[in-house]
Amino acid sequence: MTLEFPISFSRTHPTLPTELERDIFEIAAWAFPDMRLPLQLVAKRTRIWIEPIVYHSLMFSQDLNTDVKRRLSSFLEQMKVKPASFLHKNVKALFVEEESEPETFSPSTVAHLLESFTGLRWLLLGITSPLPPEIYTIIANRPLKHVIIGDSTFINAFLAASLSIPNSLVSQTLTHTHFANIASIRQPFDHLKQLTHVSLSSEDFDVDSASGESSDEDVPLSDSIAQILALPNLLLCQVLYDPEESEEKIMVESFLKEHKLTDERLVVVAFEGLPETSDWQDFFLFNGLWKEGERLLAEKRRLMVSVAVQTD
C-alpha cells in the first residue's frame, strides 16, 4: 500500500501562511518572555518579528536581574546601533529600580534612557539617588499613561516639571499613577486632568501622621484625598495595604469614616507587593495593580444597587 501526501514539505520555506506563522511566534514571545531570545534565533524573519517585543518592555532591577550592571551595559551598547525611529516606535515600558547599589543608575544613564525612549507609555522609577531637574522635564514631555515613582521628593519634582511646561505632554496622557507619601506631595496635581486611577499606601494613614504629628509642611491627608477625588475623570482611588497586617485596613477605614470620606470610588485593597519574577510585565502592562480595586469597586456598586432596589 502506497501512502500519498498531497502537501509537500519544504525545509527552506514555512508551511504555514506567513501571517499565521508570525502570529504564532509573537503570541509565544508575549506569553513566555524567557523564550524570546531562542525564538529570534529560529530564522531571520523571526528576529524581525520578535525584536520589537524584546524592546517593548525594559526592566533593570537589582531584585529581578542577577547582574543588572552587566545587563544594563550590554543594552546601552545595543542601543548604539538602533535608529531613533526604532526606539521611538517600540520601547513603551521602562522599569528602573535600584536597591543596594545606587551607583548602578547614574543620572546621566537615566537621562540617556529617557531621552532615547520618546514613545514611552509606562514608567516605574524606583531610584534613590538624587536626579537633576532636567530629567523630570524629559519625563513631563513623554506620552506616559502609567507612572509609578517611588519617592515623594521625586514626585514633587515631576509635578513641578509638568506644571512648568504649558500643556505638557504627560498632563494630556497620564491616566494611572501611585502617590507615595501623599501628605508630603506639596505640588498641585489638578492639572493632570486625564487621571482615572490613583493608588495610595496605607502607611500614609499611620495613626501618628493622621493625628497631626507629621511635618509642619505636610498637607493634611484628608485634603490630599479630597484633591484626588476632585479630579474630573477619576474612576478609582485605591489604598493598598499589606494583607498580613489586618490592622492597616482597619486604620485606613477608620480614618476615612472619621473624615467622612465616603466616596464610592475609594476602596481599600490588599496588596502583596510587586512581582518577584518576570511576571512584573503582565502586572504593569495589563493593569495587575488595579484589577482587585476595580473588582471591589464593581462589587460595592452592585451592593448599592441591591440595597436601593430593596429600599424601593
Side-chain angles (χ1 to χ4, degrees):
M1 181 178 179
T2 303
L3 296 178
E4 295 184 1
F5 295 93
I7 301 175
S8 62
F9 293 90
S10 169
R11 293 180 179 274
T12 58
H13 299 287
T15 57
L16 294 173
T18 302
E19 295 78 6
L20 178 57
E21 185 187 35
R22 178 171 184 169
D23 286 345
I24 292 171
F25 273 89
E26 289 182 344
I27 291 171
W30 280 113
F32 305 102
D34 292 341
M35 289 297 296
R36 290 173 185 173
L37 178 57
L39 289 173
Q40 287 187 86
L41 299 177
V42 172
K44 182 178 180 180
R45 63 183 180 279
T46 63
R47 180 177 182 180
I48 294 172
W49 298 337
I50 305 303
E51 191 174 43
I53 298 176
V54 172
Y55 275 81
H56 181 282
S57 309
L58 302 174
M59 172 186 63
F60 302 101
S61 168
Q62 290 169 341
D63 284 343
L64 305 181
N65 303 133
T66 54
D67 190 351
V68 67
K69 282 186 176 181
R70 183 178 62 80
R71 185 171 181 272
L72 179 59
S73 176
S74 174
F75 177 77
L76 292 173
E77 286 299 313
Q78 294 173 34
M79 278 181 60
K80 293 179 181 179
V81 299
K82 296 297 179 187
S85 58
F86 176 89
L87 298 175
H88 170 79
K89 180 180 178 181
N90 294 302
V91 180
K92 299 301 178 184
L94 177 64
F95 176 12
V96 178
E97 186 176 44
E98 63 181 8
E99 292 291 341
S100 57
E101 302 178 38
E103 69 277 5
T104 301
F105 302 102
S106 66
S108 60
T109 298
V110 175
H112 178 55
L113 293 173
L114 292 171
E115 285 176 337
S116 301
F117 307 150
T118 53
L120 206 60
R121 299 290 280 167
W122 290 265
L123 175 64
L124 187 150
L125 193 60
I127 301 291
T128 56
S129 305
L131 296 174
E134 54 265 28
I135 286 183
Y136 299 102
T137 301
I138 298 172
I139 296 174
N141 279 312
R142 294 292 172 265
L144 290 160
K145 181 181 179 183
H146 293 235
V147 171
I148 298 178
I149 301 177
D151 184 278
S152 60
T153 302
F154 292 175
I155 296 173
N156 277 310
F158 160 66
L159 291 172
S162 62
L163 275 168
S164 67
I165 304 171
N167 299 315
S168 64
L169 194 53
V170 75
S171 69
Q172 302 172 51
T173 60
L174 187 64
T175 59
H176 295 62
T177 194
H178 175 79
F179 285 138
N181 194 2
I182 183 66
S184 296
I185 297 176
R186 304 178 188 98
Q187 293 288 341
F189 47 83
D190 54 356
H191 62 294
L192 303 176
K193 298 185 185 301
Q194 302 307 315
L195 274 176
T196 60
H197 291 62
V198 175
S199 71
L200 309 173
S201 171
S202 62
E203 296 173 357
D204 296 343
F205 292 75
D206 181 83
V207 173
D208 290 339
S209 176
S211 62
E213 296 181 19
S214 53
S215 167
D216 291 339
E217 297 182 359
D218 282 355
V219 177
L221 182 56
S222 56
D223 290 355
S224 297
I225 296 176
Q227 186 179 355
I228 293 172
L229 295 174
L231 291 167
N233 291 299
L234 187 76
L235 300 176
L236 173 69
C237 179
Q238 62 182 17
V239 183
L240 308 177
Y241 74 93
D242 185 342
E244 295 184 0
E245 304 290 342
S246 58
E247 66 274 10
E248 289 186 5
K249 181 180 181 183
I250 297 172
M251 176 181 65
V252 173
E253 291 177 337
S254 297
F255 179 91
L256 297 177
K257 182 177 181 181
E258 177 186 348
H259 291 81
K260 297 182 173 56
L261 294 167
T262 58
D263 193 297
E264 66 174 18
R265 297 169 296 176
L266 273 169
V267 296
V268 185
V269 180
F271 179 63
E272 296 181 353
L274 299 178
E276 296 182 356
T277 68
S278 58
D279 291 342
W280 75 272
Q281 181 169 283
D282 290 340
F283 187 79
F284 289 108
L285 302 191
F286 302 108
N287 286 346
L289 182 63
W290 311 99
K291 285 181 179 177
E292 181 62 10
E294 290 173 342
R295 186 191 69 78
L296 291 173
L297 178 57
E299 184 178 306
K300 180 190 289 190
R301 285 175 170 164
R302 280 195 297 270
L303 287 172
M304 292 172 64
V305 171
S306 177
V307 169
V309 170
Q310 293 175 11
T311 303
D312 292 342

